[in-house]
Amino acid sequence: MENLKIINMADVESKKVEFLWYPYIPLGKLTIIQGDPGEGKTTAVLQLTALLTKGEKLPEDEQEREPINVIYQTAEDGLADTVKPRLEAAGADCSKVLVIDESEQGLCMSDERIEQAIKETGAKLVILDPIQAYLGANVDMHRANEIRPVMKRLGDIAEKYSCAIILIGHMNKASGSKSTYRGLGSIDFQATARSVLIVGRIKDDPTCRVIAHDKSSLAPEGDSIAFRLDKENGFAWEGVIDISVDDLLSGDQKVTKLTSAKEFLAKYLADGPKPSTEIFEAAEADGIKKRTLFTAKEKLNVTATKTGDKWYWGF
């Protein structure tokens, strides 16, 4: 019989959960990002990667951060013809994006090379895209008793090195089902992950995609965040959007807060420049935050001019 080990909670030192992107991606934990094929999951993750490699602010987050190393593994896209061009288009520091060589031996979640790579590179983010490709040949993704040990080991590695690990996954076609049951494979994927994000598109505005927080075990769920993705203009973050996960999956149309702010500002300035203080008051009355208003100002190329002791905004 093995020796029984008891942990007394009085001896456990409390510690605060740290986040790579609050409250969406916790450090030292597993995060799942899932959605239907072609919804922009990988593109959004590579855009986040680009910001992280340069130490720039993430969407709706004012945290100052240092550039980090990111390990990115993909079984679906070519490094030279797809991943590298996407990273370059996003403005990433490609010297900080690292890949474990799978040319001679494929990688799986239980592979010791993942821990070795984190240890050697000091990476603070590991991305496995998609989940299914990195389970391992002998793991049935529909069996909880096989999924739990693999996910636990990966989670232990994340915690040991205070590294965020993102698993990108596709969703099944069970339309109308709760989001929790639409992830491919065992529900234990979602149960083990500390954060689950859903990526989908607005039904009547197909270039508008949304990242919605489906599960958050370590912090309050974050606002849904929209991004624009089309062939002509490429990628652009759109800001907070008022839409739930269920509405997103059902295809309900919503308007982003940035769009509302742009419409407000365009209408308010239609008949000429207005004092900035007056604009701030009117925007606040409409429920528009000042940060969103300034973003709308930039998007619309509104100029600020000082006359006397007052600032005026106008086109």
Side-chain angles (χ1 to χ4, degrees), residues 68-69 71 98 116-125 161 163:
I68 65 168
N69 285 342
I71 295 173
L98 312 162
Q116 184 182 351
I118 295 172
K119 184 177 180 180
E120 290 186 6
T121 65
K124 285 298 178 182
L125 174 61
Y161 295 96
C163 175

Side-chain angles (χ1 to χ4, degrees), residues 51-124:
L51 295 172
L52 289 165
T53 61
K54 295 182 293 182
E56 296 185 357
K57 292 179 180 178
L58 300 177
E60 304 304 312
D61 182 17
E62 294 299 315
Q63 179 184 339
E64 300 290 340
R65 51 175 54 82
E66 294 294 322
I68 65 168
N69 285 342
V70 177
I71 295 173
Y72 179 70
Q73 302 297 136
T74 177
E76 294 187 337
D77 297 312
L79 297 181
D81 60 12
T82 305
V83 178
K84 179 70 177 288
R86 284 185 177 183
L87 287 169
E88 289 177 328
D93 179 351
C94 290
S95 70
K96 292 187 173 297
V97 183
L98 312 162
V99 182
I100 300 170
D101 191 347
E102 298 186 60
S103 60
E104 296 182 2
Q105 180 185 353
L107 195 72
C108 67
M109 291 184 190
S110 58
D111 198 312
E112 294 180 356
R113 289 179 293 171
I114 293 177
E115 181 174 1
Q116 184 182 351
I118 295 172
K119 184 177 180 180
E120 290 186 6
T121 65
K124 285 298 178 182

Side-chain angles (χ1 to χ4, degrees), residues 13-303:
E13 184 178 350
S14 298
K15 65 178 182 179
K16 182 182 178 181
V17 177
E18 301 293 337
F19 283 82
L20 187 64
W21 181 25
Y22 182 86
Y24 307 99
I25 304 176
L27 283 166
K29 309 293 179 181
L30 303 181
T31 295
I32 289 177
I33 298 179
Q34 59 187 12
D36 292 329
E39 299 292 67
K41 301 183 297 296
T42 298
T43 300
V45 169
L46 289 177
Q47 289 285 334
L48 292 172
T49 296
L51 295 172
L52 289 165
T53 61
K54 295 182 293 182
E56 296 185 357
K57 292 179 180 178
L58 300 177
E60 304 304 312
D61 182 17
E62 294 299 315
Q63 179 184 339
E64 300 290 340
R65 51 175 54 82
E66 294 294 322
I68 65 168
N69 285 342
V70 177
I71 295 173
Y72 179 70
Q73 302 297 136
T74 177
E76 294 187 337
D77 297 312
L79 297 181
D81 60 12
T82 305
V83 178
K84 179 70 177 288
R86 284 185 177 183
L87 287 169
E88 289 177 328
D93 179 351
C94 290
S95 70
K96 292 187 173 297
V97 183
L98 312 162
V99 182
I100 300 170
D101 191 347
E102 298 186 60
S103 60
E104 296 182 2
Q105 180 185 353
L107 195 72
C108 67
M109 291 184 190
S110 58
D111 198 312
E112 294 180 356
R113 289 179 293 171
I114 293 177
E115 181 174 1
Q116 184 182 351
I118 295 172
K119 184 177 180 180
E120 290 186 6
T121 65
K124 285 298 178 182
L125 174 61
V126 174
I127 302 161
L128 301 180
D129 182 10
I131 297 174
Q132 297 90 318
Y134 291 99
L135 283 176
N138 298 319
V139 177
D140 186 337
M141 67 185 300
H142 298 280
R143 293 183 177 274
N145 64 322
E146 295 185 18
I147 293 301
R148 282 275 178 174
V150 173
M151 294 287 281
K152 183 182 185 306
R153 185 179 185 282
L154 200 60
D156 289 344
I157 292 172
E159 185 170 5
K160 181 178 179 180
Y161 295 96
S162 188
C163 175
I165 297 182
I166 292 177
L167 308 175
I168 299 178
H170 300 311
M171 301 185 79
N172 62 43
K173 299 184 182 300
S175 59
S177 297
K178 289 185 177 181
S179 57
T180 307
Y181 299 97
R182 285 205 55 202
L184 288 181
S186 170
I187 193 175
D188 285 81
F189 282 115
Q190 285 74 21
T192 307
R194 299 297 82 197
S195 180
V196 177
L197 304 170
I198 305 293
V199 177
R201 73 177 72 198
I202 302 299
K203 182 179 179 181
D204 296 327
D205 186 2
T207 66
C208 184
R209 319 294 174 89
V210 176
I211 300 174
H213 213 168
D214 190 31
K215 172 187 175 180
S216 182
S217 300
L218 304 172
E221 289 182 4
D223 291 328
S224 296
I225 295 178
F227 61 92
R228 187 74 56 179
L229 184 60
D230 63 60
K231 292 181 179 180
E232 290 185 6
N233 300 308
F235 184 99
W237 294 106
E238 287 280 302
V240 171
I241 182 172
D242 183 16
I243 188 170
S244 69
V245 170
D246 290 337
D247 286 343
L248 179 63
L249 293 177
S250 67
D252 281 3
Q253 184 177 19
K254 298 289 180 178
V255 177
T256 68
K257 293 184 179 180
L258 177 58
T259 299
S260 296
K262 287 164 66 176
E263 291 175 351
F264 160 83
L265 199 53
K267 184 176 180 180
Y268 205 82
L269 298 176
D271 58 351
K274 297 288 193 308
S276 59
T277 52
E278 179 184 317
I279 295 170
F280 297 156
E281 290 177 3
E284 185 178 2
D286 271 18
I288 299 171
K289 293 182 179 179
K290 188 172 288 188
R291 183 175 62 184
T292 307
L293 185 67
F294 272 92
T295 303
K297 171 180 175 287
E298 181 182 347
K299 296 286 186 183
L300 293 174
N301 295 317
V302 172
T303 58

